[in-house]
Amino acid sequence: MAGPQPVSAPAAAAESTPRLADARRVIVKIGSALLVDDATGAVRRDWLDRLADDLAALRARGQEVVIVTSGAISIGRRHLGLTGRRIRLEQKQAAAATGQIRLAHAYSETFARHGITVAQILLTPEDTEARRRHLNARATLETLLGLGAIPVVNENDSVATAEIRFGDNDRLAARVAQMISADTLVLLSDIDGLYTADPKRDPAARHIPVVPVLTPEIEAMAGDALPGYSSGGMVTKLAAARIAVGAGCRMVIAQGARANPIAAIEAGRPCTWFLAGGGPKAARKRWIAGSVKPKGVLVVDAGAARALLAGRSLLPAGVVAVEGRFERGDPVVVRSAEGRDLGRGLSAYNSGDALRIRGHHSDEIAGILGYRGREEMIHRDDLALVEETQ
Ligand code: GLU
């Protein structure tokens, strides 16, 4: 393995494409358009079998898998003879009630080929938003995963009322990811990711492989003006991305219409990754690591270097040298005595004071400086190690 990169590396590393192989807990969202044959209303078993093969391979590598699937309504309506273009809400709910059985059966059969048990979970928004029910749903999902099953989740369309529905499974999948702290959300779609404009209309539209941060520019790309996109549309996919990345879960939009769509992501076929936000603390660390110009250097001894890597703050006692001129709150590089950059942080002392208290125990600070400053030279929340920001 290569040694730690210089501190200037994180910005570049953040652009690099994540790998599915690194995922611990993966949510895979499967839309009706992929799963259900439009003409017959039947499950596309060949496609589903290939997908199940891919997911069984993830499981065999020790990765946990949760499926969020659509299709209940579109399967069920054929069986109930509801063939008109527009059907009423109660008819949709009736369709879901019969379609869900067939849907669950298809998943159960396809995973049985791999000796994997599936378990059906039907959720309404209350189950993911209301705290007590949230805890219940989470406990059930965790238990199933612990027992080696693959939970197959859908909205409880038959009882959810119009006002309290997710309405689209992109958002439902993101809520599930948030609820069980998944690290990766895969949205299988009829398009291979996000483009700067609708590629069906605009030949100059560019595919975007990685979205490090959801900016207003990115949100604008989904527009309402991209009708080529599938059921939920790009708008709901970006809404899902906002929920997922905000919860520290990265998300990928990938083409699902091909056979073995998960293997295709791993093989590097085009898709769009949204990098995980990791919450405000992580965002602050990325900012410290990437966007500020260091004003000086604190050289630390081996004991301090070990403490930092173990997640502790940098104390004056561990600082052996102070270089450069900086004010309190300025970014500085933290370097090992061997010259290896360990990270960057915001110094709690200016360079003059840092020089005077270096090597001293924190209890001595007030005696040396004549005022009681912070115990730490750099608090751990103000410290972005190369390791944690790569
Ligand atoms: N829950 C709906 C169904 O199973 C689908 C919602 C969606 O397509 O996003 O039919």
Side-chain angles (χ1 to χ4, degrees), residues 189-207 225-231 233-234 255:
S189 174
D190 61 355
I191 188 158
D192 57 4
L194 182 67
Y195 284 77
T196 50
D198 183 353
K200 292 194 185 104
R201 293 166 165 224
D202 184 351
R206 272 184 308 107
H207 178 263
L226 298 182
Y229 292 3
S230 67
S231 58
M234 226 8 109
Q255 174 58 266

Coordinates of all heavy atoms in Angstrom, one line a residue, residues 189-207 225-231 233-234 255:
S189 N -31.7 2.9 -13.1 CA -32.6 3.8 -13.9 C -32.6 3.4 -15.3 O -31.9 2.4 -15.7 CB -32.0 5.2 -13.7 OG -32.7 6.1 -14.5
D190 N -33.3 4.1 -16.1 CA -33.3 3.9 -17.6 C -32.3 4.8 -18.3 O -32.3 5.0 -19.5 CB -34.7 4.0 -18.2 CG -35.3 5.4 -18.0 OD1 -34.6 6.2 -17.3 OD2 -36.4 5.6 -18.6
I191 N -31.5 5.5 -17.4 CA -30.5 6.4 -18.0 C -29.2 6.1 -17.2 O -29.3 5.8 -16.0 CB -30.9 7.8 -18.0 CG1 -30.0 8.7 -18.7 CG2 -31.2 8.3 -16.6 CD1 -30.6 10.0 -19.2
D192 N -28.0 6.4 -17.8 CA -26.8 6.0 -17.1 C -26.3 7.1 -16.2 O -25.1 7.2 -15.9 CB -25.7 5.5 -18.1 CG -25.4 6.6 -19.1 OD1 -26.0 7.7 -19.1 OD2 -24.7 6.3 -20.1
G193 N -27.1 8.0 -15.7 CA -26.7 9.0 -14.8 C -27.2 10.4 -15.1 O -28.2 10.6 -15.9
L194 N -26.5 11.4 -14.5 CA -26.9 12.8 -14.7 C -26.2 13.4 -15.8 O -25.0 13.2 -16.0 CB -26.6 13.5 -13.4 CG -27.0 15.0 -13.3 CD1 -28.5 15.2 -13.3 CD2 -26.4 15.6 -12.0
Y195 N -26.9 14.2 -16.6 CA -26.3 14.9 -17.7 C -26.5 16.4 -17.5 O -27.4 16.8 -16.8 CB -26.9 14.5 -19.1 CG -26.5 13.2 -19.6 CD1 -26.9 12.0 -19.0 CD2 -25.5 13.1 -20.6 CE1 -26.5 10.8 -19.5 CE2 -25.1 11.9 -21.1 CZ -25.6 10.7 -20.5 OH -25.2 9.5 -21.0
T196 N -25.6 17.2 -18.2 CA -25.8 18.7 -18.0 C -27.1 19.2 -18.6 O -27.5 20.2 -18.3 CB -24.6 19.4 -18.7 OG1 -24.4 18.9 -20.0 CG2 -23.3 19.2 -17.9
A197 N -27.6 18.4 -19.5 CA -28.9 18.7 -20.1 C -29.5 17.4 -20.6 O -28.9 16.3 -20.5 CB -28.7 19.6 -21.3
D198 N -30.8 17.4 -21.1 CA -31.4 16.1 -21.6 C -30.7 15.6 -22.8 O -30.7 16.2 -23.9 CB -32.9 16.4 -21.9 CG -33.6 15.1 -22.3 OD1 -32.9 14.1 -22.4 OD2 -34.8 15.2 -22.5
P199 N -30.0 14.5 -22.7 CA -29.2 14.0 -23.8 C -30.0 13.6 -25.0 O -29.5 13.6 -26.1 CB -28.5 12.8 -23.2 CG -29.2 12.4 -22.0 CD -29.9 13.6 -21.5
K200 N -31.3 13.3 -24.8 CA -32.2 13.0 -25.9 C -32.5 14.2 -26.8 O -32.8 14.1 -27.9 CB -33.5 12.4 -25.5 CG -33.2 11.0 -24.8 CD -34.5 10.2 -24.6 CE -34.3 8.9 -23.9 NZ -34.8 9.0 -22.5
R201 N -32.4 15.4 -26.2 CA -32.7 16.6 -26.9 C -31.5 17.5 -27.3 O -31.5 18.2 -28.2 CB -33.6 17.5 -26.0 CG -34.9 16.8 -25.8 CD -35.7 17.5 -24.7 NE -37.1 17.1 -24.8 CZ -38.1 17.9 -24.7 NH1 -37.9 19.2 -24.5 NH2 -39.3 17.5 -24.7
D202 N -30.5 17.3 -26.4 CA -29.3 18.2 -26.6 C -28.1 17.4 -26.8 O -27.5 16.8 -26.0 CB -29.2 19.1 -25.3 CG -28.1 20.1 -25.4 OD1 -27.3 20.1 -26.4 OD2 -28.0 20.9 -24.5
P203 N -27.6 17.4 -28.1 CA -26.4 16.6 -28.4 C -25.2 17.1 -27.7 O -24.2 16.3 -27.6 CB -26.2 16.8 -29.9 CG -27.1 17.9 -30.3 CD -28.1 18.2 -29.2
A204 N -25.2 18.3 -27.2 CA -24.0 18.8 -26.4 C -24.0 18.4 -25.0 O -23.1 18.7 -24.2 CB -23.9 20.3 -26.6
A205 N -25.1 17.7 -24.5 CA -25.2 17.3 -23.1 C -24.1 16.4 -22.7 O -23.7 15.5 -23.4 CB -26.5 16.6 -22.9
R206 N -23.5 16.8 -21.6 CA -22.3 16.0 -21.1 C -22.7 15.1 -19.9 O -23.5 15.6 -19.0 CB -21.2 17.0 -20.6 CG -20.3 17.3 -21.8 CD -19.1 18.2 -21.2 NE -19.6 19.4 -20.5 CZ -19.5 19.4 -19.1 NH1 -18.9 18.5 -18.4 NH2 -19.9 20.5 -18.5
H207 N -22.2 13.9 -19.9 CA -22.5 13.0 -18.7 C -21.6 13.5 -17.6 O -20.4 13.9 -17.7 CB -22.1 11.6 -19.1 CG -22.3 10.6 -18.1 ND1 -21.2 10.2 -17.3 CD2 -23.4 10.0 -17.6 CE1 -21.7 9.3 -16.4 NE2 -23.0 9.1 -16.6
A225 N -37.5 20.0 -17.2 CA -37.4 19.9 -18.7 C -36.7 18.7 -19.2 O -36.1 18.7 -20.2 CB -36.8 21.2 -19.2
L226 N -36.7 17.7 -18.4 CA -36.0 16.5 -18.8 C -37.0 15.3 -18.8 O -36.9 14.4 -18.0 CB -34.8 16.2 -17.9 CG -33.7 17.2 -17.9 CD1 -32.6 16.8 -17.0 CD2 -33.2 17.5 -19.3
P227 N -38.0 15.3 -19.7 CA -39.0 14.3 -19.7 C -38.6 12.9 -20.1 O -39.3 12.0 -19.8 CB -40.1 14.9 -20.7 CG -39.3 15.7 -21.6 CD -38.1 16.3 -20.8
G228 N -37.4 12.8 -20.7 CA -36.9 11.5 -21.1 C -36.6 10.6 -19.9 O -36.5 9.4 -20.1
Y229 N -36.5 11.2 -18.8 CA -36.1 10.4 -17.6 C -37.3 9.6 -17.1 O -38.5 10.0 -17.2 CB -35.6 11.4 -16.5 CG -34.3 12.0 -16.9 CD1 -33.7 11.8 -18.1 CD2 -33.6 12.8 -16.0 CE1 -32.5 12.4 -18.4 CE2 -32.4 13.4 -16.3 CZ -31.8 13.2 -17.5 OH -30.7 13.8 -17.8
S230 N -37.0 8.5 -16.4 CA -38.1 7.5 -16.0 C -39.0 8.0 -14.9 O -38.8 9.1 -14.4 CB -37.4 6.3 -15.6 OG -36.7 6.5 -14.4
S231 N -39.9 7.2 -14.6 CA -41.1 7.5 -13.7 C -40.8 8.5 -12.7 O -41.4 9.6 -12.7 CB -41.5 6.2 -13.0 OG -40.5 5.6 -12.3
G233 N -38.3 10.3 -12.3 CA -37.6 11.5 -13.0 C -36.4 11.9 -12.2 O -36.1 11.4 -11.2
M234 N -35.6 12.7 -12.9 CA -34.3 13.1 -12.3 C -34.5 14.0 -11.1 O -33.7 14.0 -10.2 CB -33.5 14.0 -13.4 CG -32.1 13.7 -13.6 SD -31.3 12.3 -12.8 CE -31.0 11.2 -14.1
Q255 N -27.4 2.9 -15.2 CA -28.3 2.3 -16.2 C -28.7 0.9 -15.8 O -27.8 0.0 -15.5 CB -27.5 2.2 -17.6 CG -28.3 1.5 -18.7 CD -29.6 2.1 -19.0 OE1 -30.6 1.6 -18.5 NE2 -29.6 3.1 -19.8

